[in-house]
Amino acid sequence: MRKSLAVAGMMLATGTSAFGQQVEPIEYTLDNGMKFLLLPRDEQPNIITAGWISPVGSVNERPGITGVSHLLEHLLFKGTDAIGTSDPELDEQYREQLTEIREKMRAYTLDVQYDRMMKGEIDNPWDPANDTDELRAMRAEMTAIQDKQAEITIKNEFDSIYTSNGASGMNAGTSNDFTVFYINIPSNKLELWAWMESDRLDNPSMRELDAERFVVIEERRQRLEATATGKLDEQFDSMFWVASPYGWPVIGWMSDLMAYTEDEIYQYFETYYQPANLTGVIVGDFDPAEAEQVIESYFGRLENKRAAPAPMVTHTVPLLGEVRFTGECDCQDQVEVRYRSVPFGHPDEAVFDVMADLLNGRTGRLYKSLVEEKEIATRARASNQSNHFAGSFSFSGVPKGRAELVDLEAAWYDELERLKTEPVGERELQKIKNQKAADTFRGLEDNSSLFFQLAITEAFGGYEYLNEMPKRVQAVTSEDIMRVANKYFNEHNRAVALYTRKGGVKPLLTLEDVKASLPEDMAGMLMPQIEMQLEQMSSLGLEELKSGLEEMKSMDGQYPPQLATAMEYMKQQVELRIQELESAGESNATEGDDQ
Amino acid sequence: MRNATTSILTGLALLTGAQAIAASDIPAHPSGIEYEELVFEPPVASEFRHELSSGVPVFMAPSHEFPLVTIRFSFKGGEYMEPEGKAGLAGLTGQLMRSGGNSAFGPNELDEEFDFLAADVSASVGGTTSSASINCLTSNFDEAYGLFVDMMKTPRFDEKRLGVLKSQILEGLKTRNDDGLQIAIREMGFLMWGMEYFEGRVSTKQSIESITTDDIRALHDRIFHPGNLMISVTGDFDEQEMLAVLEKTVAGWSMGELAPDVPQPTHVFEPGVYYYEKEQPQVQVLIGHRGIERDNPDAVSVEIMNDILGGSGFTSRITNSVRTREGLAYTAGSVFQNRVEYPGIFMSYFFTKTPTTAFATKLVFDEFETIQKEMASTDEIEIMQNSAIETFPRTFESKAGMLGIFMSDERTGRPEGHWQSYRDRVRGVTQEDVQRVANEYLHPEDAVILVVGPWEEIKAGNAASEADPNRIVTMDAFFGGNATELPQRDAETMKPVQQTVKKD
């Protein structure tokens, strides 16, 4: 086997390492401030992944326009003055007519429909099913204009131009912190990419705005409302982040999705999508000198029309007490315990990442302890998410069999105590570092993976992070882990979410469960006793059973732990017998009344 | 510090003196841009193919960009070999093979070794093929690979690990009615393939509980042996050295009975509207029937036809009408899932709010009708032809993906020269072909329409919310308004249960 010296060294070293991989793109900035990162690479011949990123996301929004970053991302696929219509002038007229009727409908809705909602007459003022006759008439008028506009619309031309030129995987993504647009193109189509992208940055038409709102609403339903835990997760997020804009969903609150005006959307676009706020990234099989020429010609045309956007201002306040959120859904019982961690680039970020890895995987602490040893979880994991301006670290788990959510929560606090008080062993820590180092290579093997890493780190402050972070990971010590665990994780700054299955009931304990719970020597002795007591129970009356149950409850916590399941079982059987007797009494009484 | 680093990913050229294209040379529309011709010849399998002395084919494609090597052992055999009553055995076999230890180490010790060596190891038993693979650093290849081969040939199948895996699966079974899409896919499988055939079959509490390490060992031994084997290697290695390593791996590994061929499905489905009652704010709709075999001579024409209909994202008609024009769904499209041994499924799909289910369904049926009755324009066909031809190189973009295709082609007997002639065949598709295959392979009148959601509201349609009378549709528009209610199923046993869903 060929050996790589740098890597062989890393595997032997403990602590500091000669970590070798460097990502060094060509950096290039246009006169208008738009920056480019170019990374030529011929491992995947004839193919380029290209795109651009704006450091704008839901954190830049405010109540009333939540979700606008994401809707805008959708609208940027709707063509331009040149793309998407066979008659730009007529199209312009229709767009003006649509704006007019839309403004009328909005004003009417905020007045009449909101009033009806506040009086309790309707639930959702924006739902067409709640239209008044007047509003219904306006909506019909809007539909009629849209139908006329459709006659001169070249359907999805933006996409079909790319498609017929061999581009694939055209998409975009919006997060809390950034919005990114990307595509795979054949090597000879770089000029087409520059044409299309600079054109939509220059004069997007935002055609079909009204239909696209409904598309986004369906996306919200698909991703969130029609999923098992989506709606609860969204509320837990908003409780966890308190003041910070990370508290609202990227896709936006339902009430806001219908409400943005075209003007609000354009202003948002002009502020955050001016060239000085953007970075272009090209990875793959291309000649950088030719690329530079194309970039200069096309993206060099773009102008900054507004002052630079204001930085994100509202940082979150610390959690001053424990937050607990309980909810029911059509879902597995599950628990999450979440803490504030640190933002992207913070010196402790690497420590959180290593800590999550110590806990995860089949050789991680959570699997060993919660899944294998204690057998209270079927799934348990930890994760750190360092966003641009703030981060969170969380534990989550799904209980096994009769284990309760609180059992998982308690087991997590035990693990946390270990992290706070015991130094991590040398081999355990080295294992994580070895995996992290190998994963760094794995992440560089593919054009699109490289594209996203370059784009996102650059949007967050600089791609150099890609070269710096692996070194920081290799430098994490067991002392760092103890320090960070003690500093960030305590009972006063955590948020706990406990979800249980709607209408769910715990399965009843059986004699088999009791037998399995007892140590072997005790089982032989106790099982016959338990069975005898069960037999005796059938001869007891309601009052005797009730006082017996009270007595058993009063002794909770005083039994040796190995008897806990046996006692639970006895209480369960007494309760069942009481229910049986009581319901028999009730049905007798009912029959009596009828007679 | 700087000296100790290697710069593998460095921009090579210096950026000086590049001349921008003059503004006046920028065309008004991208159709005015001229491109250099891009020459691409598809790779030929035989140039990458080797054979071990036992006849096992080995496909190799080295690249030395990173100090990593990936070896994939691919075997014929899979889920279709599960004995009756043992649904889930295939999945469990792959999982326990990976996590149940090998002859030298117990499960925990082996996991610790792999993790410390930073080796990515996997094993799986899929529908018709199975695999075991390793991706590791070249620096510790010998050690990691030795442990991996031991795991693949003589897995320990630890009982305790089986218990953990089963409890995870059993817990997962409880969630099978939580997500509407999961219900829709499962019920469509039952309708199309029946509950017994491996394509439709799902595991149950009973089937999982009944699985023993003996069952697992038996399936492992039938699949994981050199008689069913092909190997691919990518990454940083020397071909001759690698062949010697693989020769040693396979030597002395006893040849078992060859895995049987995939059985033919026998289930016949009943067209019509079916619904599965579920209270949720969005309805999942699947419209489908049986499709075509992979090697059907019309496959390329069907591909182009379906790209126009709903298979090519925004540019296709269903996406355009259901999503872009009417705003009724975020996801909408159609797909032919071709199978090698028997016709697969054709399916159109979308997710929409309850009242617009019928309207969106009608739009999809309108598109079926249009593509059958009217010839597609040459422009529309050309866009899809160009796309198929220009994206063709991507099929072979990653070396691992390319070798995967070669292995699959050899195993399934794909006709010689398939890839070499592919672009010509695409270019040859005519307007007449598209219309002919639309009529031959789309059967809306014999389709299943499956919806998951609150039926009474779905059925009633969009009269209460639609401003344009011409857009009002109810479910009466399909199959004469007849619909069959599918039984609510117990999530764990999949047995029908009494209807407990509340109706207002």
Side-chain angles (χ1 to χ4, degrees):
Chain A
M1 289 293 101
R2 267 169 49 108
K3 303 250 181 198
S4 158
L5 287 176
V7 176
M10 182 273 297
M11 295 303 292
L12 298 171
T14 52
T16 58
S17 76
F19 185 77
Q21 199 65 31
Q22 291 287 298
V23 183
E24 295 181 353
I26 299 163
E27 295 181 62
Y28 179 70
T29 305
L30 295 172
D31 290 343
N32 60 20
M34 184 167 180
K35 185 171 180 180
F36 278 85
L37 300 178
L38 311 181
L39 192 62
R41 179 177 179 269
D42 56 12
E43 181 63 22
Q44 290 155 282
N46 296 335
I47 314 280
I48 296 171
T49 299
W52 47 274
I53 192 165
S54 169
V56 63
S58 56
V59 294
N60 302 96
E61 296 163 359
R62 57 171 171 76
I65 63 163
T66 65
V68 73
S69 313
H70 173 250
L71 177 69
L72 176 57
E73 175 232 292
H74 277 234
L75 293 174
L76 289 178
F77 289 91
K78 292 297 183 181
T80 63
D81 294 337
I83 301 293
T85 183
S86 58
D87 188 340
E89 261 174 56
L90 193 53
D91 185 68
E92 178 75 39
Q93 282 177 31
Y94 289 138
R95 273 150 64 188
E96 279 164 18
Q97 289 171 20
L98 284 168
T99 304
E100 198 179 318
I101 186 79
R102 186 186 310 120
E103 293 299 316
K104 248 169 77 183
M105 289 172 72
R106 182 176 191 271
Y108 182 92
T109 302
L110 292 176
D111 177 14
V112 178
Q113 297 294 78
Y114 267 62
D115 192 49
R116 290 177 68 206
M117 174 182 67
M118 286 184 284
K119 287 184 178 136
E121 291 170 25
I122 54 173
D123 53 353
N124 177 357
W126 298 101
D127 184 348
N130 294 328
D131 282 357
T132 61
D133 288 347
E134 259 176 296
L135 193 52
R136 178 67 52 99
M138 290 186 246
R139 201 176 299 281
E141 195 184 326
M142 179 182 243
T143 306
I145 304 168
Q146 287 168 333
D147 284 349
K148 276 194 273 179
Q149 188 188 26
E151 286 168 19
I152 56 160
T153 298
I154 305 175
K155 65 176 178 105
N156 291 310
E157 189 184 10
F158 189 85
D159 181 71
S160 67
I161 289 173
Y162 266 138
T163 300
S164 67
N165 278 288
S168 59
M170 179 186 82
N171 213 332
T174 308
S175 80
N176 307 89
D177 297 310
F178 60 82
T179 308
V180 63
F181 294 75
Y182 51 92
I183 193 160
N184 302 303
I185 48 172
S187 282
N188 60 345
K189 298 288 163 62
L190 201 58
E191 188 175 350
L192 172 71
W193 172 78
W195 197 105
M196 297 289 281
E197 302 302 320
S198 62
D199 186 45
R200 70 166 151 181
L201 282 167
D202 191 38
N203 63 93
S205 70
M206 310 210 185
R207 211 168 274 126
E208 298 164 309
L209 161 65
D210 301 286
E212 204 59 23
R213 285 187 211 267
F214 286 104
V215 171
V216 170
I217 287 172
E218 291 301 335
E219 182 180 358
R220 191 186 144 83
R221 291 195 180 104
Q222 186 178 327
R223 287 184 191 275
L224 216 135
E225 298 187 7
T227 65
T229 63
K231 281 193 288 189
L232 292 179
D233 292 340
E234 177 179 75
Q235 297 226 335
F236 183 56
D237 280 344
S238 72
M239 291 169 71
F240 176 77
W241 287 108
V242 192
S244 159
Y246 285 106
W248 57 71
V250 172
I251 202 161
W253 297 115
M254 195 61 119
S255 58
D256 296 1
L257 292 176
M258 290 299 294
Y260 329 117
T261 65
E262 196 178 6
D263 189 49
E264 280 173 329
I265 300 169
Y266 263 107
Q267 283 191 33
Y268 202 82
F269 169 77
E270 289 195 342
T271 305
Y272 292 102
Y273 287 77
Q274 43 193 339
N277 207 38
L278 307 177
T279 303
V281 179
I282 306 174
V283 181
D285 186 8
F286 66 98
D287 172 9
E290 279 175 33
E292 188 206 355
Q293 211 178 58
V294 167
I295 287 164
E296 188 79 51
S297 308
Y298 284 91
F299 294 95
R301 304 183 291 176
L302 302 174
E303 290 168 34
N304 295 299
K305 292 177 184 160
R306 288 170 178 262
M312 206 282 291
V313 171
T314 310
H315 281 268
T316 191
V317 293
L319 285 179
L320 300 179
E322 185 188 54
V323 172
R324 288 186 88 78
F325 177 57
T326 57
E328 286 192 335
C329 48
D330 290 336
C331 63
Q332 284 177 298
D333 289 5
Q334 53 200 285
V335 59
E336 179 179 348
V337 185
R338 199 190 285 179
Y339 308 81
R340 301 283 177 74
S341 66
V342 294
F344 174 90
H346 186 285
D348 287 337
E349 185 188 1
V351 186
F352 281 105
D353 283 354
V354 168
M355 198 151 37
D357 282 7
L358 277 175
L359 294 162
N360 287 331
R362 255 196 309 269
T363 63
R365 292 180 173 192
L366 293 176
Y367 180 85
K368 281 185 183 167
S369 161
L370 275 66
V371 177
E372 280 213 327
E373 281 164 33
K374 296 182 181 154
E375 297 188 56
I376 55 173
T378 53
R379 221 155 34 97
R381 69 181 311 271
S383 70
N384 179 55
Q385 192 177 349
S386 285
N387 300 311
H388 195 176
F389 303 106
S392 65
F393 186 95
S394 66
F395 157 80
S396 59
V398 172
K400 175 182 175 182
R402 293 186 51 81
E404 304 276 349
L405 294 177
V406 288
D407 299 333
L408 266 69
E409 200 188 338
W412 160 244
Y413 299 141
D414 290 345
E415 284 307 316
L416 204 50
E417 202 51 34
R418 263 186 83 195
L419 286 170
K420 288 178 175 181
T421 55
E422 295 172 23
V424 175
E426 207 173 294
R427 188 181 155 95
E428 194 183 2
L429 188 54
Q430 189 58 41
K431 173 182 77 185
I432 304 304
K433 292 181 180 179
N434 290 347
Q435 288 177 317
K436 286 257 185 219
D439 286 345
T440 306
F441 288 123
R442 292 180 179 125
L444 303 176
E445 287 184 300
D446 174 68
N447 287 349
S448 61
S449 164
L450 274 163
F451 167 84
F452 285 112
Q453 293 182 66
L454 285 168
I456 293 167
T457 52
E458 186 61 26
F460 283 3
Y463 74 85
E464 293 83 358
Y465 172 95
L466 294 176
N467 300 324
E468 181 58 29
M469 191 60 177
K471 291 178 200 151
R472 289 195 193 169
V473 164
Q474 295 301 323
V476 170
T477 66
S478 57
E479 291 78 30
D480 286 332
I481 291 169
M482 285 169 73
R483 173 182 59 78
V484 165
N486 280 291
K487 181 173 175 189
Y488 295 90
F489 301 149
N490 66 67
E491 59 194 283
H492 302 301
N493 67 1
R494 71 187 177 212
V496 183
L498 305 146
Y499 299 168
T500 48
R501 179 174 290 285
K502 198 186 284 175
V505 278
K506 282 276 164 198
L508 290 177
L509 277 173
T510 65
L511 269 176
E512 284 301 303
D513 296 329
V514 176
K515 198 173 166 190
S517 75
L518 294 168
E520 237 169 85
D521 49 332
M522 282 172 81
M525 192 176 70
L526 281 176
M527 289 310 289
Q529 277 191 32
I530 291 172
E531 281 170 38
M532 199 174 71
Q533 285 188 14
L534 286 177
E535 241 183 76
Q536 286 172 356
M537 198 171 73
S538 60
S539 61
L540 296 178
L542 198 55
E543 291 312 310
E544 286 166 304
L545 286 167
K546 281 183 174 172
S547 67
L549 185 63
E550 284 310 306
E551 202 178 319
M552 285 160 78
K553 282 184 175 169
S554 70
M555 292 183 61
D556 273 353
Q558 297 176 37
Y559 300 106
Q562 58 267 45
L563 290 182
T565 306
M567 290 313 298
E568 276 303 308
Y569 178 74
M570 291 307 291
K571 276 190 282 184
Q572 169 193 300
Q573 294 307 108
V574 174
E575 276 169 355
L576 286 174
R577 179 66 187 155
I578 290 172
Q579 276 172 21
E580 194 185 335
L581 290 175
E582 282 181 340
S583 67
E586 270 170 29
S587 63
N588 286 341
T590 316
E591 277 168 27
D593 286 344
D594 281 345
Q595 281 164 0
Chain B
M1 200 64 205
R2 205 76 184 161
N3 294 338
T5 62
T6 54
S7 298
I8 296 176
L9 292 167
T10 303
L12 297 171
L14 288 172
L15 290 175
T16 48
Q19 286 295 301
I21 302 161
S24 56
D25 291 342
I26 292 181
H29 190 273
S31 52
I33 304 174
E34 285 168 21
Y35 306 105
E36 274 175 49
E37 201 186 343
L38 202 60
V39 180
F40 175 81
E41 278 311 315
V44 180
S46 59
E47 288 170 18
F48 299 85
R49 192 182 188 281
H50 305 258
E51 230 174 71
L52 299 181
S53 53
S54 56
V56 171
V58 178
F59 293 89
M60 297 196 287
S63 73
H64 305 292
E65 192 179 17
F66 298 101
L68 289 166
V69 61
T70 303
I71 308 184
R72 181 153 181 263
F73 290 74
S74 169
F75 301 83
K76 178 178 179 180
E79 258 175 81
Y80 66 91
M81 292 160 69
E82 285 173 341
E84 211 185 316
K86 299 282 181 185
L89 174 62
L92 256 177
T93 301
Q95 287 185 55
L96 192 61
M97 193 174 154
R98 169 62 188 87
S99 67
N102 64 9
S103 77
F105 289 102
N108 284 316
E109 294 75 25
L110 184 60
D111 283 340
E112 285 289 348
E113 291 296 325
F114 281 141
D115 278 1
F116 192 80
L117 297 167
D120 261 0
V121 172
S122 67
S124 71
V125 178
T128 59
T129 60
S130 304
S131 74
S133 64
I134 179 167
N135 166 283
C136 67
L137 294 158
T138 49
S139 58
N140 57 33
F141 172 80
D142 292 348
E143 195 180 347
Y145 180 71
L147 293 167
F148 163 77
V149 170
D150 182 357
M151 177 207 89
M152 174 172 64
K153 289 168 140 179
T154 49
R156 182 172 292 203
F157 293 134
D158 180 81
E159 286 283 352
K160 188 162 182 224
R161 275 287 165 97
L162 176 61
V164 171
L165 288 173
K166 276 187 176 184
S167 74
Q168 287 172 332
I169 292 169
L170 290 170
E171 205 60 48
L173 295 186
K174 294 178 188 166
T175 68
R176 286 195 288 192
N177 289 333
D178 294 351
D179 178 56
L181 182 57
Q182 205 183 351
I183 295 172
I185 290 170
R186 163 189 97 209
E187 296 294 333
M188 196 65 173
F190 292 164
L191 288 168
M192 285 288 127
W193 303 108
M195 294 178 79
E196 298 307 320
Y197 192 62
F198 80 99
E199 292 246 30
R201 184 169 63 206
V202 297
S203 50
T204 63
K205 189 164 187 274
Q206 298 86 324
S207 75
I208 295 295
E209 279 173 347
S210 79
I211 292 169
T212 64
T213 47
D214 286 344
D215 295 327
I216 289 173
R217 199 173 296 282
L219 186 64
H220 168 268
D221 292 352
R222 288 180 71 195
I223 295 175
F224 292 87
H225 63 74
N228 295 326
L229 176 63
M230 291 185 188
I231 304 171
S232 74
V233 195
T234 51
D236 185 19
F237 65 95
D238 174 272
E239 290 184 284
Q240 289 315 309
E241 283 178 37
M242 182 54 73
L243 279 173
V245 167
L246 295 174
E247 198 69 66
K248 234 177 95 190
T249 302
V250 174
W253 189 1
S254 63
M255 190 80 74
E257 205 178 309
L258 296 193
D261 289 337
V262 180
Q264 293 286 320
T266 54
H267 182 78
V268 179
F269 70 91
E270 276 297 315
V273 177
Y274 295 83
Y275 64 94
Y276 190 103
E277 184 70 28
K278 182 171 169 67
E279 193 53 51
Q280 53 175 359
Q282 192 176 54
V283 178
Q284 292 84 19
V285 183
L286 303 180
I287 300 165
H289 54 66
R290 296 292 294 282
I292 61 166
E293 286 164 345
R294 185 193 69 182
D295 297 331
N296 183 313
D298 284 329
V300 167
S301 297
V302 170
E303 181 187 337
I304 297 296
M305 184 274 291
N306 185 60
D307 282 345
I308 294 169
L309 179 68
S312 184
F314 288 115
T315 301
S316 31
R317 294 177 179 181
I318 288 175
T319 317
N320 185 61
S321 61
V322 176
R323 175 175 164 155
T324 308
R325 205 182 65 217
E326 300 295 337
L328 301 178
Y330 173 63
T331 300
S334 68
V335 62
F336 273 85
Q337 298 167 335
N338 300 350
R339 296 287 188 263
V340 177
E341 298 85 358
Y342 46 86
I345 286 185
F346 162 75
M347 199 156 68
S348 176
Y349 51 86
F350 59 87
F351 318 130
T352 188
K353 60 189 175 295
T354 318
T356 48
T357 306
F359 180 31
T361 306
K362 176 164 184 302
L363 293 174
V364 170
F365 272 72
D366 287 349
E367 295 302 347
F368 293 156
E369 193 180 324
T370 306
I371 205 163
Q372 288 183 326
K373 290 206 169 145
E374 295 167 23
M375 244 183 228
S377 73
T378 48
D379 278 359
E380 214 173 2
I381 292 171
E382 209 176 312
I383 288 172
M384 296 311 171
Q385 287 172 321
N386 289 347
S387 174
I389 290 165
E390 294 261 349
T391 56
F392 180 63
R394 290 212 74 194
T395 314
F396 306 96
E397 173 189 14
S398 94
K399 294 208 163 69
M402 173 183 77
L403 299 189
I405 288 172
F406 294 157
M407 289 200 289
S408 159
D409 286 356
E410 180 166 334
R411 178 167 285 139
T412 57
R414 194 161 216 159
E416 191 92 1
H418 170 85
W419 300 112
Q420 276 61 36
S421 67
Y422 173 79
R423 287 173 292 183
D424 288 340
R425 284 180 288 133
V426 168
R427 192 52 82 199
V429 173
T430 64
Q431 286 178 290
E432 290 76 16
D433 289 333
V434 168
Q435 191 175 11
R436 176 179 59 79
V437 298
N439 281 288
E440 197 164 339
Y441 300 107
L442 294 177
H443 310 291
E445 66 290 350
D446 287 324
V448 159
I449 302 175
L450 170 66
V451 300
V452 178
W455 175 249
E456 287 304 320
E457 291 168 46
I458 292 168
K459 194 173 183 311
N462 58 345
S465 55
E466 179 53 59
D468 174 8
N470 295 323
R471 282 175 162 86
I472 294 174
V473 186
T474 72
M475 288 305 285
D476 288 341
F478 310 99
F479 291 95
N482 297 314
T484 307
E485 176 166 18
L486 293 168
Q488 298 283 305
R489 295 183 193 281
D490 179 81
E492 295 173 276
T493 65
M494 282 290 114
K495 295 212 171 86
V497 292
Q498 287 216 308
Q499 310 287 319
T500 52
V501 178
K502 281 178 229 127
K503 288 180 189 172
D504 291 339

